[in-house]
Amino acid sequence: MFTGEGPIFQQLAAKIADDIVAGIYPEETAVPSATDFAVFHQMNPATASKGVNMLVDLGVLYKKRGIGMFVATEARKVLLTQRRDEFRKQYLQPLLQEAAVLNIPAAELHSMIDDEQEPA
């Protein structure tokens, strides 16, 4: 499951975040503990804890003392907002910069995007 691209704890956090966005872990429902993730993925429990704590720090997960870890209200919204921001920085800004270098007007760029979205 883990690709070797980036630290394992970040990959685990991304997997949990993907599952939240996909609705596998709805808001206000329990998620497996860091220990459960460690056992399931055969990783060091400290590594799993670090991945889970990344999502706690982001406000996506929270702990109910003595009960376990839960998905926060608005967690999906928080994750989607974060991903949209990352999409803008990683893909959209470089695209627009390259379009400017190539003198591609906005209307033509829109047309190119529309053409790519048409079914084959």
Side-chain angles (χ1 to χ4, degrees):
M1 176 192 141
F2 299 110
T3 64
E5 296 177 21
I8 292 173
F9 73 92
Q10 288 178 343
Q11 293 180 55
L12 176 62
K15 169 68 172 120
I16 297 166
D18 287 345
D19 290 346
I20 292 169
V21 169
I24 294 170
Y25 300 126
E27 295 175 359
E28 298 304 325
T29 61
V31 297
S33 68
T35 303
D36 292 337
F37 282 121
V39 169
F40 183 80
H41 294 292
Q42 299 177 344
M43 67 175 59
N44 184 309
T47 301
S49 289
K50 195 169 180 180
V52 169
N53 286 334
M54 279 184 64
L55 297 174
V56 170
D57 293 344
L58 189 59
V60 172
L61 297 179
Y62 68 95
K63 185 173 185 175
K64 286 186 181 179
R65 191 174 182 95
I67 299 175
M69 201 63 75
F70 288 78
V71 179
T73 303
E74 303 285 324
R76 186 171 188 276
K77 182 179 177 183
V78 167
L79 291 169
L80 288 174
T81 298
Q82 179 190 38
R83 287 183 178 191
R84 285 174 188 235
D85 291 345
E86 289 172 8
F87 177 82
R88 178 182 295 268
K89 290 175 189 166
Q90 187 173 354
Y91 299 105
L92 190 54
Q93 290 173 353
L95 172 77
L96 294 172
Q97 289 170 352
E98 184 66 12
V101 168
L102 298 173
N103 294 317
I104 299 173
E108 185 178 342
L109 188 57
H110 284 258
S111 178
M112 292 168 82
I113 292 169
D114 290 342
D115 290 346
E116 290 297 318
Q117 291 179 325
E118 290 180 5

